Amino acid sequence: MNTIYKSALPYLLLMGGLSACGGGKNDNTEPVTPPPAQAVTSSCVQLAGMQIAATSIGLPTSGAVVTGTKVVPASGTGTGALGEYCIVSGSIKPVDASAPNIQFQVALPKNWNANAVMFGGGGFNGVIPDITSSGTPTAAGPLARGYAVFASDSGHQEASLPHPTAFMLNQEANRNFMGDALKKTRDTALVIVKAAYGAAPKKSYFIGGSNGGREALLVGAVWPADWDGIAALYPARPITTQLLGMLRTSRALAAPGAYPNRAKRGVLYQAALAACDGLDGVKDGLISDEKKCEAVFNPATAVLNGVPLRCAGGADTGDNCLSDAQLGALETMNNPVPFNFSLASGATSFPGFNVYTSDLGGPGSSQLQATIAAATLGNTAPGFPYTPDMPNLSWIADGLARYGVAQDASFNYLTLDPLKPGPYASQLSALSTVDNRDTNMGGFAAKGGKLLIMHGTADMIITSRGSESYVQGLQSTLGLSVVDSFLRFYLAPGFGHGIGNFTVSWDFLSALENWVEKGVDPKANQVITDVAGIPGRTRPLCIYPTWAKYNGSGDVNSAASFTCALK
């Protein structure tokens, strides 16, 4: 299993969010009073063996059962401190007997705050996220705050599979992963929460990063009545266009002589910093004005310390320059990928990656650079069969192409041309239909829900340009004023897929709580903290399309010295 993608949120957490006052037969929108503090843990054992009828779950299942309960004593200190809670484990049974169960857990705190949070998954799921996690070192997590917290493995168990995507061969398991398990888990957990506390939660939040971010957007669009607040962190959507972009990049990097090693990637990034680092008013090792850098930096003509970045004559003459083959592969990664066939989703292209303004993992033995390298282009050119030292995006492309498209475990993903998919075009089009389900946020906006989206501009697994396009699409269909009433979208320079020169820690749950419950708009008051690049430095988290501009004086490592600006 590729652990970088699977656990790409070491500080922000690959997780999602819950429902509580949702729609359907489980609704309970009346104000509730939390039960006495001792009630839930004293009844924890009594929940064991509890049966949940299929009629209590909003999508077809064969019902659910609680398979185990355990009282966990208080532990920890600081932001990681947890009070006493009951952990409930269970299974949701499929309709198709050959499909796996959905395994889930619910954490019921002794001191309940009358609200709930659901976590989304990560990678291709297959394991239950840690529902006791804080998610960020700078703030207490949901369970520590008194939320009832739950999550599931989305309906398959990775450890039992020959490959993390092999579940896609079963139709019900695949539908569960694509989103159905989210509703089934939410409805089942709500029955358990009601049984434990005697009431449904007053407010429900969904929090997810990467694939969990995709899930976060999906639940808001498809089941808006279930959620009050949602945080979607670098959402891995849309699935089909991401796959096609990853295939295009993998094939380009796999061409003879096209893969740039870490030394060459380091030279590229240093040249970009030399040209663009000061565009935001200060040279601090971050390219904050990413759009302007894209306009002024051309690697084919750039120089570093007076030496051209392009190797003489375009041939590969060493680690201090890039050949034409390597520059061409990076240009392919940077450029949009036009689709020469129709997708049911209506998508016509993949927008490309911010490859020139991002650290791709340069030379050096530091753990940070090694991790950035592993999370971006890896250490070896893409090939088949895939190995863990290859780019993460190639691992995703390999799994989706083999089991989601070709449905053949022996299929070589590098033979699938995203521009001319031939016999696989119809399956790609069918797969793309899931990509449409998260684009209708009108119901979530109308009910007064609040949505936060954050994406790092240095993400080389899930491009931040995709999130930009998503938000622009909402603005086009709903109108600017409607989108402004429920959505805040942030881009974080230097942040990749859970790691980067600025590895973000952000108290997104407090931002959601304050917006949903107190009406405090997070448009201009959010601060992020770096926990890896320069630990402790802060920046304002700027609303798209603004970026953090240095004020001209003050500590360059303090958010107070920066202002969100358009130019």
Side-chain angles (χ1 to χ4, degrees), residues 12 232-235 452-456 489-490 492 495 504 506 541:
L12 275 170
L233 311 173
Y234 39 92
L452 305 178
I453 302 177
M454 188 276 286
H455 211 132
F489 173 42
Y490 313 90
F495 185 45
V504 170
W506 174 38
L541 190 56

Side-chain angles (χ1 to χ4, degrees), residues 504-523:
V504 170
S505 179
W506 174 38
D507 188 4
F508 48 84
L509 182 53
S510 288
L512 266 183
E513 290 173 337
N514 289 329
W515 199 14
V516 169
E517 300 173 27
K518 301 176 183 178
V520 178
D521 191 336
K523 180 176 287 188

Side-chain angles (χ1 to χ4, degrees), residues 51-119:
Q51 300 286 330
I52 294 96
T55 53
S56 296
I57 302 171
L59 291 175
T61 71
S62 296
V65 61
V66 172
T67 56
T69 63
K70 179 182 178 181
V71 175
V72 181
S75 64
T77 59
T79 59
L82 296 175
E84 184 179 307
Y85 63 95
C86 172
I87 191 81
V88 178
S89 301
S91 298
I92 303 171
K93 302 171 187 177
V95 175
D96 175 6
S98 66
N101 291 334
I102 300 170
Q103 306 289 359
F104 69 88
Q105 287 187 331
V106 184
L108 304 168
K110 181 176 181 179
N111 296 305
W112 186 43
N113 69 2
N115 296 327
V117 166
M118 181 176 178
F119 291 173

Side-chain angles (χ1 to χ4, degrees), residues 10-13 78-80 134-140 503-507 529-531:
Y11 302 107
L12 275 170
L13 185 67
T79 59
S134 65
T136 172
T138 57
T503 298
V504 170
S505 179
W506 174 38
D507 188 4
T529 302
D530 187 0
V531 293

